[in-house]
Structure formats: structure tokens, C-alpha cells
Amino acid sequence: MQGIWTTARIRAAEDRLLAVTPDGELMRRAAFGLATQVSAVLAEGAGGVSGRRAVLLVGSGNNGGDALWAGAFLRRRGVAVTAVLLDPAKTHAAGLAALRRSGGRAVSSVDGPQWISRADVVVDGIVGISARGPLRPEAARLAGLVEAPVVAVDLPSGVDPDTGAADGPHVTATRTVTFGALKPVHALAPQECGEVVLVDIGLRPSLGEPDLYRLEPADIAAVWPVPGPGDDKYSQGVVGIAAGSATYPGAAVLASGSAVQATAGMVRYAGHAADVVRARWPEIVATGSVTDAGRVQAWVVGPGIGTGAEGREVLRHILGQDVPVCADADATTIIAHTPEVLDARDPDTPLVLTPHAGEYERLMGRRPGVDRVAAAREAAAKYDAVVLLKGHCTVVAAPDGRVAVNQPHGSWLATAGSGDVLTGLVGSLLAAGLDPWLAAAAAAQVHSLAGALAAEDVPTSASGLVAAIPAALRLIRAVA
Ligand SMILES: NC(=O)C1=CN([C@@H]2O[C@H](COP(=O)(O)OP(=O)(O)OC[C@H]3O[C@@H](n4cnc5c(N)ncnc54)[C@H](O)[C@@H]3O)[C@@H](O)[C@H]2O)[C@H](O)CC1
Ligand SMILES: [K+]
């Protein structure tokens, strides 16, 4: 799993490393890696590297220092380098001297626009992990003029390093070159970061355990259940799906179909859409009520069951079955409005909640806000449940504090029924016996990959999403 550290942890680790590293050495390591990536971006464009124009937007701290030193390294590759100093009095002196020694030029921000308009690449060295809030006016003015590809130093300026919030003027980068370790912004703001490249500056030994995780394909392939010689339809875990109604069978078909596609374990359906589910998915053992559904190792409950008395009884029955439960949609609303329904649950039985922002507000009495990691953690602690907080970047928090951020693959999941498909994936992995946090994080990752494969750059549907699950699993196994 990819580790992600908060800026406070990064800074503490950098301080430890700086104490035992020659002055300026860390910055030069960072800057050399940065220069290599800027050259790569230039090389992608017509005309190669030498003679091309790089403009550095330089702030008042070490982020600017990285950019200036990188400018000096770029000069050695024949790149014409101009640094626009946003705060000349506070510019990193050693970096500026290195740039000038190499034949680079420095101009004030007044002259910035004329150089920015001629740039083949812009390097965003405005602010790094010390950023607070959106870009300040002068930086915002200059950043707004940029049309060339942007390489962000450490992180795109104006985007919050720890939450990825980008609700004010900020840089949007083609590529972000970060140093030592990923910060939360790199997982939570993929749109603003572009391609993220991590440069090793020897920080890892000083870092300790990560604050957040991102699953890699190998992590998912390692846990996704595949049948072995000793398996039968029961041994891989039987998942029960309690979803849909006679008037709204769609959620039942989607959640059940997703479970069928996700693993080879048996799927039971229980509810008023049994005939429609059975007709669409003959593999499924379907019955009209959860009370005669037979044994399962996990339940999915909620999509389309309604929030009235019958839905409440279905949820209460399932929570009382002492197996892991993934509660979604109407079940989330029932839990929010009548939390006493949770009394039916044995506290040791894993519960996964999968709210979108509106359902989160019902559960917690507030919107998730900009710090979605904190929001997910708070809900996980309140309900003693794994909380999968949906969004462009899904955040999965466990009651023990573990947090995973999924890698989105576009926004193709913004389609009706997409959530039903996700619950089927989560439920199948719970039935297979996976750690509930890992099950939710792996399901979210496969869900977003299936969306991209189903879409192939044109809008897709939840049914297309279900059909693409095997392709997503094959791709994950292929790249693992
Ligand atoms: N520690 C090291 O040796 C290494 C650090 N690296 C780089 O250093 C930056 C962090 O540098 P720091 O000096 O702490 O501050 P910043 O450069 O991030 O910020 C400077 C300055 O910017 C102003 N500022 C704050 N918010 C904004 C804003 N929204 N808009 C404009 N300006 C803002 C404020 O005055 C700050 O003091 C780190 O990111 C790395 O790039 C290297 O990684 C390795 C060695
Ligand atoms: K930056």
C-alpha cells in the first residue's frame, strides 16, 4: 500500500533529516529531481529541451528555493530560465545565487506577464507544505496568466496540502513533483495535481507509519478472492442482498448483479424483487423475505428497501444476524433517523456504511466539509463502523483510525445506480472474510476502475459498470 503522510509529519521528518545532512543538500536532491521532470515535460513538446523557455514562479520559502535550484540545473541543459520573484526581499538567497551563476535571470512580478506568455513550461514554486489558504492576489494574478504546461513543486500552490481543498484561486498542474513522501493533497486533489512523481530524498527512514494509505493494484489482487481446488459455491462466502422493491427492482438487480460479477461465491437475494432478480441473474438463489433467506456470511442492505416500517424491520433483522453488514442508501437514512435500530447489532459484528455527502449529513448532522478524512474518521468513531465516504476521491475510514483514499479514474460513477453496484462489491468481499476496511477500500478501487473501463471516455450506466467488473479485475491482476 502507498503510504501518505500529513505535512506536520513530513516537516518533523525533514527536520530530523536536515539535522544530519549537509546544509542545502536536501534541497539540491529535490531540485535535481524536479529539473529532470521539467526536462521530461519539455521533451514531450515539440523542439526538445535545449533552447526552450522555462519560467519559475518563485515564492518566499523553500518551495521557491527548490524551483530556483532546479532552474540552475535546467540552465546546464540549455534551457532559458527566468524566475519571477513574488517577494524579492524574501527569495531563497542560495537558490537565487545558484540560478544567477548558471546564467538564469530573475525579474520582479511586475515583469512576470511578459515572460509567462512566452514560456514553454512554468514551474510553480509559489508555496509548498507551508501553504495556508488559496493563492494570494499577486500569485493568483500571475498564475491566471499561465497557458503553458505547469510543473508544480511539491504540490500545486493554493491547494490545501492536508485536505486537498481547492476552493479558491490555485494552480492546476500537468505534473506535480513531490519530495520524500506523498502528502494528502496528492491523493485527495488528483485533478489539481495532474501526474504525481515522487522524488526520493532519503526521507522515508525518518517518517514512521503513514497517516493515510492508497491501495495499489497488487494490494487488491492479493486479497480479491479467487476459487481454489478446495473451494465450492459456499466456501468462498455467501452474500445476501436485501435491496429493491416490487416497484423499484432496479437497485436489487444492480446490487445483486455486482455481487455475482465480483466473486465466485454464492449470492442470495431476499426481497420483493425476487422474480426480476432471478430472471436477470439465474445464478442467484432468490426469495421473497430476509427471514427465509438461508445462511449467509455477510449482508448488503438498503438500496431501494424504503425507509418505512418494513424497511426498518428488514434492517433490524439483518443487523441481528451476527454477520458483517454493508448498509447503504435507505438503510443509512433509517440508521440516521432511528439509531436505536443498531441495538440489534452485536458490537463485534463489522458494519460498513457507504454514505454520500447528503447521507453523511443525515448521519452526522453536518456536511463532510473540506477535510473529508477527518469527516470520515469522525463518523467511523461515532458509529463504530467502517465509513466509505463517497466523492470524487472516496475516503474509507475504520473505527481504529486507518484511512484509505482511493485513486479515482475519472467521474464516470456519477450515474444512477452506481452506489448499488458498489454495495454489491463491498458485500461480496465481506462475505469472503476480508477485513472490512480493506474490503471497502478494495471495492471502491475496483468500482472506480470499472467505471472508467465501462465508459471508455463516453458516459456509461450502472448496468455498464456491472458488466465491466470482470475487466477491471483482470486489469488489476495484470498490472499487479
Ligand atoms: N526542509 C527542506 O530542506 C526541504 C524542503 N523542501 C521544500 O520546502 C517547502 C516548504 O518550504 P517552507 O519554507 O516551509 O514554506 P513554503 O515554501 O511552502 O511557503 C513559503 C511561504 O509562502 C507563503 N504562503 C503561504 N500560503 C500561501 C498562499 N496560499 N499563497 C501564496 N503564498 C503563500 C508564506 O509566507 C510561506 O512562508 C516544501 O514544500 C518543499 O518544496 C524540499 O522538499 C526538500 C527539502
Ligand atoms: K508549489
Side-chain angles (χ1 to χ4, degrees), residues 63 124-128 152-157:
N63 196 247
D124 162 24
I126 298 168
V127 60
V153 182
D154 210 8
L155 50 95
S157 300

Side-chain angles (χ1 to χ4, degrees), residues 20-274:
V20 295
T21 310
D23 192 29
E25 170 64 23
L26 272 193
M27 185 166 281
R28 282 191 293 280
R29 279 184 212 163
F32 189 80
L34 174 60
T36 303
Q37 290 302 318
V38 174
S39 300
V41 170
L42 283 172
E44 282 166 9
V49 176
S50 181
R52 309 295 293 286
R53 294 192 186 92
V55 170
L56 318 177
L57 300 181
V58 175
S60 55
N62 289 330
N63 196 247
D66 290 344
L68 290 163
W69 273 103
F73 291 128
L74 286 166
R75 283 290 306 130
R76 293 183 197 163
R77 304 179 193 198
V79 178
V81 179
T82 302
V84 179
L85 308 183
L86 284 162
D87 191 343
K90 291 190 197 166
T91 302
H92 192 275
L96 184 55
L99 178 67
R100 286 183 164 138
R101 279 198 305 274
S102 70
R105 78 166 59 79
V107 299
S108 76
S109 61
V110 170
D111 299 329
Q114 62 180 311
W115 297 100
I116 289 170
S117 63
R118 299 158 55 194
D120 296 309
V121 66
V122 170
V123 178
D124 162 24
I126 298 168
V127 60
I129 59 174
S130 294
R132 290 294 168 268
L135 285 179
R136 293 171 184 169
E138 182 59 0
R141 183 179 73 87
L142 292 177
L145 300 173
V146 175
E147 290 177 3
V150 176
V151 176
V153 182
D154 210 8
L155 50 95
S157 300
V159 183
D160 187 289
D162 281 314
T163 67
D167 35 16
H170 62 274
V171 167
T172 298
T174 307
R175 187 171 301 189
T176 291
V177 183
T178 190
F179 316 110
L182 292 187
K183 290 83 181 177
V185 59
H186 300 124
L188 292 162
Q191 304 283 82
E192 285 72 28
C193 291
E195 181 191 355
V196 178
V197 176
L198 175 58
V199 173
D200 183 5
I201 58 172
L203 196 60
R204 185 67 187 84
S206 313
L207 276 167
E209 281 307 299
D211 296 294
L212 308 177
Y213 293 92
R214 186 168 64 189
L215 266 59
E216 306 284 13
D219 304 310
I220 299 169
V223 297
W224 204 279
V226 289
D231 274 318
D232 60 31
K233 64 183 176 183
Y234 295 108
S235 62
Q236 299 158 81
V238 178
V239 61
I241 308 286
S245 61
T247 29
Y248 297 108
V253 171
L254 290 168
S256 303
S258 167
V260 167
Q261 296 278 68
T263 69
M266 187 162 86
V267 178
R268 294 186 192 276
Y269 169 77
H272 297 306

